[in-house]
Amino acid sequence: MLAPNWMELLVLVGTGGVGAAVLIYLVLRMFVWNKAESKSLERISKHAFWTGFIAWAFSSLAGANRAGLYSPHQMSDPLAPNVVVPVDPWSTIPVSWLIGPVVAVLLVHLIGQLSWPAPKSARRVAVLEYRKVRDYVQPLLGWSVFCIFAATAIVLIILACAPGFPARPAGRTGEGMTLLPLDGRIPGWMLATVLGAALVVLATGTLLVMRLTASRRSLEALNPEQNKTLRAIGMNRLLRVSATVASGLAAIAGNYLAQPAPASVDTSWTNWLGLVNMAVLVTMFFWKPPALQPDTPYSGASLSAAARPGKASFGATKLMDSTAVVLVPAAAAGVLLGYGLRYWLGWMGTIALSLAFMVLAYLALEMVLARNYGAPVRLRSGGRPPLKAPLPRWVYGGFGLSALGLAAAIGYAAASSTSLPPRRWDGFPAPWAIYVVPCILAAAILLAGLAAMWFALARPQLNNVPEALDATLRRRSLFRIARTVTSCWFALAGVVFSMAAPPLVSHPPAMQLDLSIVSALCFALGAIVLFLPVRAYTPEDMYVPDANKPSMSK
């Protein structure tokens, strides 16, 4: 069999590692390691959020879903098809895809706990207390994670006793029944050894990081109760992602155990442990950590300074912060419409239409804001100063990167399309649909975003609301719209890369171009962009200049 040599593997692993390191650095540099605002509650909350989010992004075990299995093609030599080649059992276990996510999750949480801002005051005030790990673990979550780890250990014991069998090529029975090819599997104890090592590393590392979370020094910007809540947040995020990874290890073992034997005539089978893993994933994803927020919507302010907004200002901010009330129904409507158009748009229509409806939901919020709090008479051109810095500069860079990725994906799909539709395309049955449909969807959400942005900039100024707060509300709306459009374009690029068939080559045994890593990177970037936090309110947004106060320049 043809396989990449060690130099090719080094190039692939090195490129992926450098890309991941650059991505982590950019995220932490822009949203976490900002020393100027390290004492603000908003920055502290972002640090805790991004630590958990980055760890979750690296927790995928999808690259090892076929661990311990091998296809009939791996038993034959391309130059001599009739010669049976023995398969190395250990080569079927992608150790790096099993141990790598475990180490990455623990390392991210370890860095997150070690990178809290150090005390800067000359005199420190500390509370003498003996902190135990169980004091910061929610009882229900702790017992749930313990049961998941125990169940995974039991599954691995069963896996160790499972026998292996060879792969079955396609053929026919004596009665003329067609037999589909079935994968073979290695002896179960080999796979159980690697999965067990990963589980032990995960359990041991989780306990050590939990101990570090409980024993690390407190933040001087928080009071004792808030420091306790912050430790509970770290424990919550660590346990949730560890439970997800542990259930993923059990799902890999379940995929191995569900494989039919060579004598079986079954044409389909179900990995029940994989379904359990999906249930655990959804449950842990929506398991909320404790809240660390002040009693004011201005969470970007320091803990000692929280402005008291006026009635109109408070109503406007409360309206624009109730995005979940309209985003969930809007996204659901987009999913239903995409499902109805699945025979033309494929499942990429579900993603694009749900995000497009979210953009329209932001437009509807702006309309309601202008209706309820807008000035009675619309300001003429020049009556309101132009909005300065409507979007951060890196937002334009992110949108440009998504445009380049989408253009590359569409170009690749157009170049690789043949007289037959791509094998993974599930939309309109035509070879051109794989690159025409993404163009239509990308243009649709771009037009929706431009319309929403135009209204946010052109709407009348709010009545009885400070000018600074009005500008902040516009910037927050523009940022939400821009991040949704950018996320959609990243997602469309990932879908096209995953669905477009590779170009045909004259030599089938040659190394084919696998863009699954690029597709996964596009999906990860789309998810990160979609959940980027908006600019927080500050006390300066409530400042109303005093017209009677003489200017210093006079």
Side-chain angles (χ1 to χ4, degrees):
M1 295 181 61
L2 295 179
N5 55 36
W6 66 271
M7 183 60 70
E8 293 173 339
L9 290 176
L10 181 61
V11 171
L12 292 176
V13 174
T15 304
V18 171
V22 171
L23 179 62
I24 294 176
Y25 172 78
L26 290 176
V27 172
L28 293 177
R29 179 65 181 85
M30 290 188 295
F31 305 108
V32 179
W33 294 332
N34 192 332
K35 296 181 180 180
E37 300 179 1
S38 60
K39 293 184 179 181
S40 68
L41 193 62
E42 177 72 14
R43 191 60 58 177
I44 292 173
S45 299
K46 285 182 179 180
H47 186 287
F49 170 78
W50 282 105
T51 298
F53 188 85
I54 295 175
W56 201 288
F58 281 95
S59 65
S60 175
L61 297 172
N65 60 340
R66 286 180 47 81
L69 303 177
Y70 57 92
S71 63
H73 300 288
Q74 295 178 257
M75 300 176 59
S76 60
D77 190 345
L79 302 178
N82 296 326
V83 178
V84 179
V85 178
V87 177
D88 181 14
W90 295 107
S91 65
T92 64
I93 305 177
V95 179
S96 59
W97 282 101
L98 290 171
I99 304 296
V102 173
V103 176
V105 165
L106 298 174
L107 186 61
V108 170
H109 276 280
L110 177 63
I111 295 174
Q113 293 301 321
L114 295 177
S115 58
W116 288 110
K120 302 297 182 181
S121 303
R123 299 179 60 184
R124 294 181 55 190
V125 179
V127 178
L128 297 178
E129 57 180 350
Y130 180 72
R131 297 189 290 264
K132 300 179 181 179
V133 172
R134 63 172 179 265
D135 296 336
Y136 308 100
V137 178
Q138 297 168 302
L140 181 58
L141 177 61
W143 283 110
S144 300
V145 174
F146 175 79
C147 292
I148 291 173
F149 271 83
T152 302
I154 295 175
V155 170
L156 296 185
I157 293 175
I158 299 174
L159 173 65
C161 302
F165 48 73
R168 184 189 71 187
R172 290 182 176 273
T173 61
E175 295 79 9
M177 181 183 299
T178 302
L179 294 177
L180 299 177
L182 290 177
D183 294 337
R185 68 186 194 187
I186 64 175
W189 67 267
M190 294 183 174
L191 181 59
T193 300
V194 180
L195 293 179
L199 185 64
V200 170
V201 172
L202 179 63
T204 305
T206 301
L207 292 176
L208 293 177
V209 176
M210 291 173 65
R211 182 56 191 163
L212 173 64
T213 304
S215 60
R216 65 164 177 80
R217 57 193 172 193
S218 301
L219 302 185
E220 63 179 0
L222 304 181
N223 58 41
E225 188 64 27
Q226 290 169 331
N227 270 296
K228 182 177 180 180
T229 303
L230 186 61
R231 298 181 199 276
I233 292 175
M235 299 278 191
N236 177 283
R237 297 188 186 278
L238 174 62
L239 288 175
R240 285 159 54 202
V241 70
S242 297
T244 305
V245 175
S247 66
L249 297 175
I252 294 174
N255 188 51
Y256 172 95
L257 296 173
Q259 184 66 29
S264 175
V265 295
D266 295 336
T267 57
S268 63
W269 53 92
T270 303
N271 179 11
W272 296 105
L273 291 178
L275 298 179
V276 174
N277 176 43
M278 292 300 298
V280 172
L281 174 64
V282 173
T283 302
M284 294 299 166
F285 185 82
F286 289 101
W287 197 311
K288 289 186 177 181
L292 184 64
Q293 295 292 339
D295 298 331
T296 172
Y298 306 98
S299 55
S302 301
L303 300 179
S304 59
R308 189 71 176 177
K311 184 177 181 180
S313 301
F314 183 79
T317 56
K318 186 176 181 180
L319 173 63
M320 298 308 293
D321 286 340
S322 60
T323 54
V325 178
V326 293
L327 289 183
V328 174
V335 170
L336 292 177
L337 180 59
Y339 181 78
L341 300 176
R342 66 187 183 279
Y343 296 110
W344 294 273
L345 305 180
W347 70 274
M348 75 168 59
T350 303
I351 299 176
L353 291 178
S354 62
L355 294 176
F357 274 52
M358 290 173 61
V359 172
L360 296 179
Y362 291 133
L363 175 59
L365 277 177
E366 283 290 331
M367 291 181 175
V368 174
L369 181 67
R371 172 66 178 81
N372 295 347
Y373 300 97
V377 180
R378 181 168 181 171
L379 296 178
R380 300 294 182 183
S381 178
R384 183 181 66 246
L387 186 64
K388 297 181 180 179
L391 288 172
R393 293 182 179 179
W394 57 266
V395 174
Y396 300 101
F399 178 75
L401 182 62
S402 68
L404 291 176
L406 182 59
I410 293 175
Y412 172 77
S416 62
S417 62
T418 60
S419 58
L420 297 177
R423 52 189 173 89
R424 294 188 183 131
W425 170 243
D426 58 346
F428 188 77
W432 47 264
I434 185 64
Y435 57 88
V436 172
V437 171
C439 292
I440 297 175
L441 294 175
I445 192 171
L446 178 61
L447 292 177
L450 291 177
M453 285 184 172
W454 174 84
F455 188 87
L457 291 172
R459 66 165 172 80
Q461 189 171 356
L462 302 182
N463 192 26
N464 296 326
V465 172
E467 183 178 335
L469 180 59
D470 181 79
T472 299
L473 292 175
R474 296 178 195 272
R475 293 190 184 96
R476 287 167 64 92
S477 296
L478 293 174
F479 180 82
R480 286 166 172 163
I481 297 168
R483 73 179 181 184
T484 307
V485 175
T486 304
S487 174
C488 180
W489 279 27
F490 273 125
L492 287 177
V495 173
V496 174
F497 275 128
S498 64
M499 286 187 171
L504 298 178
V505 295
S506 57
H507 302 286
M511 187 176 181
Q512 299 288 328
L513 181 62
D514 186 9
L515 295 177
S516 59
I517 298 179
V518 179
S519 176
L521 180 60
C522 290
F523 285 127
L525 288 174
I528 291 175
V529 171
L530 184 61
F531 291 98
L532 289 178
V534 297
R535 175 189 180 277
Y537 299 106
T538 61
E540 288 75 13
D541 294 331
M542 302 280 44
Y543 175 71
V544 180
D546 189 359
N548 298 322
K549 185 176 181 179
S551 175
M552 296 296 295
S553 60
K554 294 182 179 179

